[in-house]
């Protein structure tokens, strides 16, 4: 059973940066495309960014130019570098495959506030 463990969240001021990590218990190269999602209070979980095995990345409009997704297949880890953060980025962040086939981890809380 694949386990996904997210970390790196915290409280950051508007304009600040955070780097999230997602450690997988299996060989993520075989997972295919991996993605970061987020869920704000009272909202549906939404896709934020994804990266395929070849390294091609896609971002939702609201984070494009500010967030960068990357993967280290040797470490079975997916990252999300978040820069120029805004209060509307506040959410619990999760990783999973693009088709959401694995059990969700506990997520990591990100709060952007002054």
């Amino acid at each position: 059973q694949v386990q996904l463990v997210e970390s790196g969240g915290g409280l950051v001021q508007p304009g600040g940066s955070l780097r999230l990590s997602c450690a997988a218990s299996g060989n993520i190269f075989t997972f295919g495309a991996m993605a970061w999602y987020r869920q704000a209070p009272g909202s549906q979980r939404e896709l934020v960014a994804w990266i395929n095995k070849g390294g091609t990345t896609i971002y939702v409009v609201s984070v494009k130019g500010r967030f960068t997704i990357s993967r280290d297949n040797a470490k079975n880890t997916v990252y999300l570098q978040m820069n120029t953060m805004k209060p509307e980025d506040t959410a619990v962040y999760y990783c999973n495959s693009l088709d959401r086939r694995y059990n969700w981890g506990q997520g990591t809380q990100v709060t952007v506030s002054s």
Side-chain angles (χ1 to χ4, degrees), residues 43-96:
S43 299
Q44 299 277 357
R45 192 167 300 182
E46 64 172 357
L47 177 67
V48 175
W50 62 268
I51 182 169
N52 68 9
K53 290 199 295 185
T56 299
T57 57
I58 298 290
Y59 302 91
V60 296
V61 171
S62 59
V63 307
K64 195 170 185 179
R66 301 188 298 118
F67 289 11
T68 302
I69 186 172
S70 61
R71 62 194 289 167
D72 186 334
N73 293 327
K75 295 183 178 179
N76 295 321
T77 302
V78 182
Y79 303 97
L80 186 68
Q81 176 68 43
M82 305 186 293
N83 299 327
T84 320
M85 297 183 72
K86 304 176 180 180
E88 51 263 43
D89 295 323
T90 296
V92 179
Y93 283 71
Y94 304 86
C95 69
N96 210 319

Side-chain angles (χ1 to χ4, degrees), residues 80 106 110:
L80 186 68
Q106 82 289 348
V110 171

